């Protein structure tokens, strides 16, 4: 995986953000297991709850096109710092990704980033594997 390329894709995705209320843009670039990249940006709404984060936009685009195996996501925002995903986005990641191996790359610049596993950002995530263990039924 070329982390610098994924970082640059997240920065490019930010340019499409729709943020008329906060003016705070976020971009994400999601890497599929087969090497594809899906971009996402945050999309705000006057009624706050319909707002969608960049990370979920990227996941929903990928899943809607049949992709369900992912290895990493890069996230960049207008903070001039590292931007961590919200709890809802972390739980969406847990639905589709292995918490021990999926990498969350927090991008300040293409040369300045931090890498975490999903497990580090969402310890004890409730996953499909947890349900299978608890019920003995494969989902």
């Amino acid at each position: 995986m070329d982390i610098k390329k994924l970082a640059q894709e997240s920065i490019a995705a930010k340019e499409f953000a729709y943020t008329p209320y906060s003016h705070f843009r976020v971009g994400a670039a999601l890497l599929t297991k087969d090497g594809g990249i899906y971009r996402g940006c945050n999309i705000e709404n006057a009624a706050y709850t319909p707002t969608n984060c960049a990370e979920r936009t990227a996941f929903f685009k990928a899943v809607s096109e049949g992709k369900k195996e992912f290895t990493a996501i890069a996230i960049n925002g207008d903070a001039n710092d590292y931007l961590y995903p919200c709890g809802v986005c972390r739980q969406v990641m847990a639905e589709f990704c292995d918490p021990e191996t999926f990498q969350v790359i927090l991008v300040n610049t293409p040369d300045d980033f931090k890498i975490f596993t999903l497990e580090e950002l969402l310890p004890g995530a409730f996953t499909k594997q947890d349900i299978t263990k608890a019920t003995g039924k494969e989902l």
Side-chain angles (χ1 to χ4, degrees):
M1 167 181 46
D2 184 348
I3 294 174
K4 201 172 206 178
K5 179 179 183 334
L6 201 60
Q8 290 168 332
E9 289 285 333
S10 72
I11 293 166
K14 180 174 69 174
E15 297 304 315
F16 296 102
Y18 177 74
T19 59
Y21 307 102
S22 72
H23 306 288
F24 186 83
R25 301 169 308 152
V26 180
L30 178 63
L31 182 64
T32 64
K33 193 172 186 178
D34 63 5
I37 296 175
Y38 286 82
R39 290 181 181 178
C41 61
N42 56 324
I43 303 166
E44 294 180 347
N45 190 281
Y48 182 72
T49 56
T51 293
N52 205 51
C53 297
E55 300 92 314
R56 283 182 282 143
T57 299
F59 268 93
F60 297 162
K61 284 172 63 176
V63 171
S64 72
E65 293 184 22
K67 301 296 182 179
K68 293 188 181 119
E69 294 183 325
F70 309 101
T71 59
I73 191 166
I75 306 162
N76 175 262
D78 281 340
N80 294 320
D81 199 356
Y82 308 107
L83 185 64
Y84 290 77
C86 75
V88 174
C89 288
R90 294 177 199 201
Q91 189 59 52
V92 168
M93 292 174 197
E95 182 70 22
F96 294 101
C97 307
D98 181 338
E100 294 177 5
T101 61
F102 183 74
Q103 293 185 322
V104 180
I105 305 161
L106 310 179
V107 178
N108 187 23
T109 71
D111 296 312
D112 180 15
F113 52 85
K114 291 183 179 183
I115 301 174
F116 297 91
T117 64
L118 179 56
E119 185 173 54
E120 290 173 311
L121 295 180
L122 188 64
F126 189 71
T127 66
K128 291 188 294 185
Q129 292 85 359
D130 295 328
I131 295 170
T132 299
K133 283 181 192 174
T135 65
K137 297 179 182 176
E138 188 71 31
L139 296 178

